[in-house]
Amino acid sequence: MKFIETLLNGLSMGSTYAMIALGYTMVYGIAKMLNFAHGDIIMVGGYMIFITMSAIGNPILGLFAAVVFCLLLGVTIEKIAYKPLRGASPLAVLITAIGVSYLLQSTAQMIFGSAPKMVLIADLGNLNIGALKLPVYTLVTLGCSIVIMLALSLFVKYTKVGRAMIAVSEDKGAAQLMGINVNGIITLTFAIGSSLAAFAGFFMLLKSPSLTNTLGAMPGIKAFTAAVIGGIGSIPGAMLGGILIGVVEAISLTIPAIAAYTDAIEFLILIIILLVRPSGILGKKRREKV
């Protein structure tokens, strides 16, 4: 029974990482850039939930406000910081992304201070099934995450806009010749990724109500690790990588001898997988044109 509880907790944690990883992998797959400020959008979403709940007290409205604000923030960051760098070297884009990350963290610290804020979204209690004791937030997070990720997968696979996103990820030049608005698709990708980050922030606060300006830093790094493990640029890969990292983390934390080394174990898995399969588990090898 204890193992089932740990497994469900790992799946819940992993699905949250997967939602964050989807933002990384979609932006990389389409815009071919690593948005290291993505984790900090989680933090911004958390503060929007805090502001809304302080004023109204409704967590659903807080989530809605976070999604809308993060969506607009993601689009704004793409327009101001990244769009002018189209065609620039990857290093220039990477440095800009790191700068945006520290800008968001510092701005949040100036506005809200460095002391943690408590955001009590809801006490959902536990679900007892015989000897099995499951926190309800675990089931809520897992269920909502599965629905969101399935909806995103269906959107990308079966809608006209989704197919345009796939076309842009394969070849921007050819997609533009076919009449696809490449800039619009990239902006939409940032909007979707930022919205998913807001959902991830909500589920993280549902589990742990402490909010600081570095809330999204480590989850962002782990989600990026998950995206690379699954295959950066692959939506199913991001989901698989997130679940893998979450389950490994949950199991490691239950073993006292290795609990303190949980983060190191996760990054060790990344190194091993990259040594065996550099493109990731579900990643595709791309031939570079010269």
Side-chain angles (χ1 to χ4, degrees), residues 177-238:
L177 289 173
M178 293 170 63
I180 295 173
N181 183 350
V182 173
N183 286 331
I185 291 297
I186 293 175
T187 299
L188 177 62
T189 303
F190 271 85
I192 292 173
S194 299
S195 300
L196 292 175
F199 276 101
F202 179 84
F203 294 132
M204 287 171 60
L205 290 175
L206 190 62
K207 178 183 178 182
S208 176
S210 180
L211 172 63
T212 67
N213 67 313
T214 58
L215 173 72
M218 184 54 74
I221 293 173
K222 290 184 179 181
F224 174 68
T225 300
V228 174
I229 287 174
I232 191 78
S234 167
I235 290 178

Side-chain angles (χ1 to χ4, degrees), residues 21-279:
L22 283 170
Y24 280 109
T25 207
M26 288 179 68
V27 169
Y28 180 83
I30 293 174
K32 296 296 181 289
M33 64 159 290
L34 296 174
N35 179 22
F36 277 114
H38 185 66
D40 297 291
I41 295 178
I42 301 170
M43 172 269 297
V44 173
Y47 276 112
M48 281 306 300
I49 294 171
F50 168 71
I51 292 169
T52 306
M53 288 194 62
S54 298
I56 302 173
N58 188 314
I60 302 302
L61 288 178
L63 174 59
F64 178 77
V67 169
V68 171
F69 189 83
C70 287
L71 185 153
L72 295 175
L73 178 64
V75 170
T76 302
I77 290 173
E78 191 275 330
K79 292 289 185 186
I80 295 175
Y82 300 142
K83 187 176 180 180
L85 295 176
R86 301 270 166 82
S89 69
L91 181 60
V93 179
L94 179 61
I95 292 172
T96 300
I98 294 172
V100 172
S101 172
Y102 280 111
L103 175 63
L104 292 176
Q105 288 186 25
S106 300
T107 302
Q109 185 173 0
M110 285 190 294
I111 296 173
F112 299 100
S114 57
K117 307 291 183 184
M118 299 304 293
V119 187
L120 299 173
I121 292 178
D123 183 7
L124 300 177
N126 297 310
L127 178 64
N128 298 313
I129 305 175
L132 192 62
K133 184 179 180 182
L134 298 173
V136 175
Y137 78 80
T138 297
L139 301 177
V140 170
T141 301
L142 182 58
C144 291
S145 300
I146 290 172
V147 170
I148 291 169
M149 289 187 285
L150 284 175
L152 178 62
S153 296
L154 293 173
F155 170 79
V156 171
K157 190 172 183 179
Y158 293 109
T159 67
K160 184 177 179 180
V161 175
R163 290 194 293 271
M165 293 171 76
I166 294 173
V168 172
S169 70
E170 292 292 335
D171 192 322
K172 290 188 183 67
Q176 199 161 17
L177 289 173
M178 293 170 63
I180 295 173
N181 183 350
V182 173
N183 286 331
I185 291 297
I186 293 175
T187 299
L188 177 62
T189 303
F190 271 85
I192 292 173
S194 299
S195 300
L196 292 175
F199 276 101
F202 179 84
F203 294 132
M204 287 171 60
L205 290 175
L206 190 62
K207 178 183 178 182
S208 176
S210 180
L211 172 63
T212 67
N213 67 313
T214 58
L215 173 72
M218 184 54 74
I221 293 173
K222 290 184 179 181
F224 174 68
T225 300
V228 174
I229 287 174
I232 191 78
S234 167
I235 290 178
M239 298 179 189
L240 176 62
I243 295 299
L244 176 62
I245 288 293
V247 171
V248 168
E249 181 171 325
I251 293 174
S252 298
L253 289 173
T254 62
I255 304 174
I258 63 174
Y261 308 103
T262 298
D263 292 346
I265 292 170
E266 292 168 2
F267 296 126
L268 179 62
I269 292 173
L270 169 65
I271 294 171
I272 293 171
I273 288 180
L274 288 180
L275 288 173
V276 176
R277 187 175 172 82
S279 59

